[in-house]
């Protein structure tokens, strides 16, 4: 067996909670110092958490390793440590070979500079030498299909052109070890296929790749081995097939038949939700193992009444990861209201058709109340729904911006004879 | 652009690995592990950062590079009018325009470099969180990119002196030394401030006052001969005092060689620069988590 090109030994990284977005003003320190002068000599206490805990791994030459896991599982932190952007709190790692990392499309691009200038700048920042970029320049421009616009400042580019150029530069990086974070999730589908092809070439050329992706299709297509990270630790390390199967199964666990008695809630407590289960179904009503964009969802809710209440509205609410309310289905919309007496229990079933939300994690919340008059029970996070893009839903596999994945038909025709206009874009 | 495409064949830069092929990743340990050799390995990227700064700075301005000349010239006119003609400050026998312009060229370079060095880490925070390179090359590139402006200003200054019939003397050989001193002063103080700026954004607001105060603490608007002799040594601790006095002397050949004053300045700069390197290095290991 060849020796590992990446060897990591119990890498751990501790962050201060909230440290990532805070901008400190001296004022905060001064006001603290004025309130209790002695505190200046103490290190301020911050809540800390381990973004990564005791992660050990070996990656051998030519291996394409996939890193999967939920948001906040530590995938990006691990990649940032391996690419030396941040340093571990504990543990160590050794990497043998030239490392190129790609954590963002368009690293170092400057809007005022032209495509040509940005190619050199971004290439240099990603680690290419000037002569190397000059040698590959024509190839890069051809790959991006931007020959005509290469001397235009990139601030005039469309987002598609920008991404094409940025990726073309990155794709021509020739390190021995390539570390890639979810960068495939941009651009149009044809260009994505081209990029996947280019990355496949990299893998076949015997280079080592570590790749983060939420796209199981990409992971399945590229990776020979997969690691599942969960809460900063390695949960699984093995074949890609097994890993993706496990990942699917877990995403379902989190949505199933949750006991709600310990959930944080608001409301006067006249009635309380006791359980929720979210079952994905296919279009024929058969239960599915995973939820994917466009499936149906059958949601069962049970509630227990301890004190009589007047007819109330029962709502099931979906929030996306940014906290936006993306779906609000409720009984009032159908002109129905729930009314219970003390000691009664009730069951409710909602069937949601074609949940065409983009892939990702959603919180399912429950609400029972009488509009602004009273809130009886409200649980913001009753269940988690992971919409996963799988091969079976590959027509939705690309994460474009936007919340809703509308089903659509398309028909494109070229109108003659305004050729010159078409050529100008 | 031509300079880029027609590049000279050079050995490929070791891709993000410094000189050796094995990278060891460890928690930050020593306070004093300043890796200057790595900065050297990344000199091409340093060049690109300087090139980007220079290129971007005047890209959207209508008269572009003309600003480089206009800024010190306008300042010189204001100084000549108010400090010279109205306040009648002495100018050590030099014509006011030359007296002020010879000081403003190094001063403009210094104040610009100090400000851009201070802000460079915060301005490139996106880059810092996305890709690795020795962070030290950011402030170094900021200090270097002002040199282009300086060079242009210096040509104007030379023409100016010539017009006033002041010809270069042997003292002009001191100019590179003085310029280097100004560069290291800006870099040394800038290293402290850029690291502090990543921690406390207050620094950004303090800078304009600091620069203004520093200018009045340096012989830009007045000759250092106004400073009482027994306070000279203290005055010399301000490196820019030595630089500006030295500049006037090196360009015009009149007045005294800065001598001891310059030695005091150089020692002060060495201390500040060394401390700045260590402080910046301490910040560097955590800067991607902080900015």
């Amino acid at each position: 067996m060849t020796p590992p090109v990446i060897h990591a030994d119990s890498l751990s990284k501790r962050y201060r909670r909230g440290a990532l977005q805070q901008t400190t003003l001296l004022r905060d320190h001064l006001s603290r110092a004025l309130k209790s002068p002695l505190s200046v000599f103490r290190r301020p206490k911050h809540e800390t958490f381990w973004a990564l805990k005791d992660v050990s791994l070996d990656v051998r030459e030519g291996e394409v390793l996939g890193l999967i896991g939920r948001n906040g599982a530590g995938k990006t932190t691990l990649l940032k440590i391996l690419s030396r952007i941040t340093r571990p709190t504990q543990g160590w790692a050794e990497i043998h070979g030239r490392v190129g990392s790609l954590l963002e499309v368009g690293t170092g691009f400057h809007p005022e500079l032209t495509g040509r200038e940005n190619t050199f700048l971004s290439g240099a920042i990603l680690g290419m030498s000037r002569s190397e970029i000059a040698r590959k320049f024509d190839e890069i421009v051809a790959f991006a299909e931007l020959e005509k616009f290469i001397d235009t400042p990139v601030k005039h580019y469309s987002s598609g052109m920008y991404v094409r150029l940025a990726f073309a530069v990155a794709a021509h990086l020739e390190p021995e070890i390539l570390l890639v974070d979810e960068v495939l999730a941009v651009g149009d589908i044809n260009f994505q296929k081209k990029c996947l092809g280019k990355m496949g070439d990299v893998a076949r050329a015997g280079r080592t790749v570590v790749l983060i992706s939420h796209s199981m299709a990409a992971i399945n297509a590229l990776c020979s081995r997969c690691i599942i990270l969960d809460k900063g630790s390695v949960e699984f390390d093995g074949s890609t097939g097994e890993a993706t199967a496990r990942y699917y199964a877990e995403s379902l666990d989190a949505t199933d038949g949750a006991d709600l008695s310990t959930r944080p809630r608001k409301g006067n407590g006249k009635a309380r939700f006791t359980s929720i289960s979210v079952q994905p179904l296919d279009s024929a009503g058969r239960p599915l193992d995973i939820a994917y964009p466009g499936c149906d969802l059958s949601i069962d809710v049970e509630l227990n009444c301890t004190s009589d209440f007047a007819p109330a509205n029962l709502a099931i609410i979906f929030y996306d990861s940014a906290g936006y309310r993306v779906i609000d289905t409720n009984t009032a919309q159908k002109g129905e209201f729930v009314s219970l007496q003390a000691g009664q229990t009730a069951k409710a079933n909602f069937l949601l058709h074609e949940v065409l939300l983009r892939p990702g994690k959603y919180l399912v919340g429950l609400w029972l109340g009488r509009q602004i008059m009273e809130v009886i029970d409200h649980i913001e996070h009753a269940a988690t729904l992971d919409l996963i893009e799988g091969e079976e839903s590959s027509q939705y596999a690309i994460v474009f911006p936007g919340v809703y994945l509308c089903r659509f038909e398309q028909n494109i025709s070229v109108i003659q004879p305004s050729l010159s206009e078409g050529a100008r874009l | 652009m031509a300079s880029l495409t027609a590049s000279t064949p050079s050995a490929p830069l070791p891709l993000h690995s410094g000189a050796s092929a094995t990278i060891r990743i460890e928690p930050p340990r020593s306070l004093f592990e300043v890796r200057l050799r790595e900065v050297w390995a990344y000199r091409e990227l340093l060049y690109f950062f300087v090139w980007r700064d220079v290129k971007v700075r005047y890209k959207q301005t209508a008269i572009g590079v003309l600003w480089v000349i206009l800024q010190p010239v306008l300042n010189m006119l204001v100084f000549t009018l108010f400090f010279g003609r109205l306040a009648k400050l002495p100018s050590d026998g030099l014509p006011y325009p030359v007296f002020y312009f010879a000081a403003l060229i190094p001063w403009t370079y210094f104040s610009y470099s100090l400000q851009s060095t201070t802000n460079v880490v915060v301005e490139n925070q996106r880059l810092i969180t996305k890709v690795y390179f020795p962070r030290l090359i950011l402030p170094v590139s900021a200090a270097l990119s002002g040199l282009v402006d300086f060079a242009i200003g210096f040509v104007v200054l030379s023409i100016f002196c010539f017009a006033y019939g002041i010809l270069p003397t042997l003292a002009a050989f001191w100019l590179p030394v003085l310029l280097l001193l100004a560069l290291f002063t800006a870099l040394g103080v800038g290293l402290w401030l850029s690291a502090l700026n990543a921690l406390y954004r207050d620094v950004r607001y303090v800078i304009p006052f600091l620069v203004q105060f520093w200018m009045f603490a340096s012989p830009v608007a007045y000759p250092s001969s106004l400073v009482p002799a027994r306070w000279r040594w203290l005055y010399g601790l301000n490196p820019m005092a030595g630089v500006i006095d030295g500049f006037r002397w090196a360009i015009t050949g009149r007045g005294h060689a800065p001598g001891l004053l310059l030695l005091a300045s150089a020692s002060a700069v060495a201390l500040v620069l060394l401390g700045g390197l260590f402080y910046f290095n301490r910040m560097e290991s955590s800067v991607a988590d902080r900015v």
Side-chain angles (χ1 to χ4, degrees), chain B residues 17-289:
Chain B
S17 60
S20 76
T22 296
I23 307 162
R24 194 171 162 91
I25 296 164
E26 278 175 317
R29 281 175 208 282
S30 162
L31 196 68
F32 300 105
E33 45 158 274
V34 178
R35 296 179 301 263
L36 289 177
R37 194 172 298 171
E38 206 185 17
V39 174
W40 179 246
Y42 277 78
R43 61 192 178 277
E44 273 207 350
L45 186 57
L46 175 63
Y47 161 81
F48 271 109
F49 278 147
V50 174
W51 169 83
R52 174 191 67 174
D53 277 2
V54 175
K55 205 109 202 183
V56 167
R57 199 176 321 145
Y58 295 104
K59 246 200 173 161
Q60 263 206 324
T61 54
I63 55 170
V65 179
L66 224 63
W67 280 116
V68 183
I69 301 167
L70 227 51
Q71 278 166 342
V73 168
L74 289 177
N75 267 334
M76 178 269 288
L77 289 177
V78 171
F79 276 42
T80 303
L81 187 66
F82 290 98
F83 292 122
R85 299 259 182 275
L86 287 179
K88 300 227 178 343
L89 286 175
S91 67
D92 286 350
L94 287 168
Y96 277 125
V98 172
F99 178 78
Y100 286 125
F101 208 65
L104 277 166
I105 293 298
W107 177 257
T108 309
Y109 164 70
F110 170 76
S111 69
Y112 174 79
S113 297
L114 183 61
Q115 290 179 63
S116 54
T117 310
T118 303
N119 291 325
V120 76
V121 169
V122 172
E123 274 164 12
N124 286 282
Q125 53 175 285
R126 224 183 128 80
L127 212 53
I128 288 174
T129 56
K130 294 296 179 194
V131 72
Y132 175 78
F133 51 86
R135 310 308 185 195
L136 193 57
I137 72 173
L138 280 176
V140 173
S141 77
L144 288 179
S145 74
L147 285 178
V148 177
D149 287 10
F150 173 84
I152 297 170
F154 188 76
V155 170
V156 178
L157 173 63
S158 310
I159 297 170
F160 230 85
C161 291
F162 196 73
Y164 273 91
I166 297 165
L167 296 174
T169 62
L170 278 178
F173 285 107
W174 276 92
L175 282 172
V177 178
L178 295 165
L179 180 60
L180 219 58
L181 191 60
L183 191 154
F184 283 136
T185 310
L187 185 62
V189 179
L191 280 172
W192 282 95
L193 292 177
S194 67
L196 272 172
N197 198 13
L199 280 181
Y200 307 108
R201 297 298 147 85
D202 305 68
V203 173
R204 186 181 289 256
Y205 304 110
V206 175
I207 279 288
F209 295 107
L210 178 71
V211 168
Q212 201 171 30
F213 174 77
W214 202 328
M215 189 185 84
F216 286 113
S218 311
V220 179
Y222 55 89
S224 60
S225 54
L226 281 190
V227 179
R230 58 198 166 106
W231 295 113
R232 280 295 166 77
W233 63 274
L234 190 65
Y235 197 64
L237 287 182
N238 167 13
M240 284 315 286
V243 167
I244 286 167
D245 248 12
F247 245 81
R248 283 206 183 103
W249 163 76
I251 282 168
T252 63
R254 288 180 220 173
H256 304 286
L260 268 180
L261 190 78
L262 209 59
L263 203 66
S265 298
S267 334
V269 169
L271 276 178
V272 170
L273 186 64
L274 216 61
L277 275 175
F278 291 135
Y279 185 63
F280 187 84
N281 187 60
R282 221 187 85 179
M283 279 301 307
E284 186 200 61
S285 54
S286 64
V287 81
D289 306 333

Side-chain angles (χ1 to χ4, degrees), chain A residues 179-198:
Chain A
L179 310 171
V180 190
D181 198 351
E182 193 86 61
V183 287
L184 290 172
V186 288
D188 63 75
I189 188 153
N190 284 325
F191 191 72
Q192 284 202 353
K193 279 188 185 151
K194 202 164 152 183
C195 293
L196 279 176
K198 185 80 190 176

Side-chain angles (χ1 to χ4, degrees), chain A residues 268-272 304-309 340-344 376:
Chain A
N268 57 25
K270 285 180 180 173
R272 288 163 81 88
N304 190 0
C305 177
T306 48
S307 169
D308 302 1
F309 60 88
L340 292 177
Q341 290 170 347
Q344 284 184 316
I376 297 165

Side-chain angles (χ1 to χ4, degrees), chain A residues 143-324:
Chain A
F143 188 87
E145 299 161 30
L146 281 171
E147 290 89 342
K148 275 185 228 157
F149 305 98
I150 199 63
D151 289 312
T152 310
V154 299
K155 64 179 175 181
H156 298 308
Y157 280 21
S158 71
S159 57
M161 292 159 75
Y162 184 92
V163 165
R164 288 208 312 267
L165 182 62
F167 205 95
V169 177
H172 287 78
L173 202 61
E174 281 178 359
E176 288 153 356
I177 299 155
L178 184 62
L179 310 171
V180 190
D181 198 351
E182 193 86 61
V183 287
L184 290 172
V186 288
D188 63 75
I189 188 153
N190 284 325
F191 191 72
Q192 284 202 353
K193 279 188 185 151
K194 202 164 152 183
C195 293
L196 279 176
K198 185 80 190 176
M199 285 188 62
D201 290 348
V202 172
R204 271 188 293 279
R207 254 168 261 145
T208 313
V209 182
V210 179
L211 168 76
I212 293 182
S213 183
H214 288 107
S215 158
M216 292 303 130
I219 292 277
N220 274 316
L222 292 170
C223 302
S224 49
R225 180 181 142 208
C226 242
I227 284 180
I228 305 181
L229 283 180
D230 186 40
K231 299 189 189 89
S233 304
V234 175
E235 196 199 77
F236 174 84
D237 184 349
S239 78
T240 300
E242 212 177 318
T244 49
R246 267 180 102 112
Y247 185 61
Y248 283 148
E250 270 162 33
S251 69
L252 195 65
D253 279 354
T255 69
D256 214 22
D259 175 23
L260 298 178
S261 55
T262 58
R263 291 292 161 114
R265 65 218 300 160
K266 287 177 212 149
N268 57 25
K270 285 180 180 173
R272 288 163 81 88
F273 292 105
T274 51
S275 78
I276 180 170
S277 112
V278 181
Q279 174 62 54
L281 306 170
D282 68 10
S283 53
R286 289 181 296 252
L288 290 168
D289 287 344
I290 57 152
Y292 59 81
C295 72
D296 292 356
L297 291 177
S298 172
I299 301 171
D300 285 295
V301 177
E302 287 186 352
L303 62 159
N304 190 0
C305 177
T306 48
S307 169
D308 302 1
F309 60 88
N313 184 10
L314 194 164
I316 295 179
I317 302 157
F318 286 62
Y319 301 93
D320 71 7
S321 54
Y324 287 109

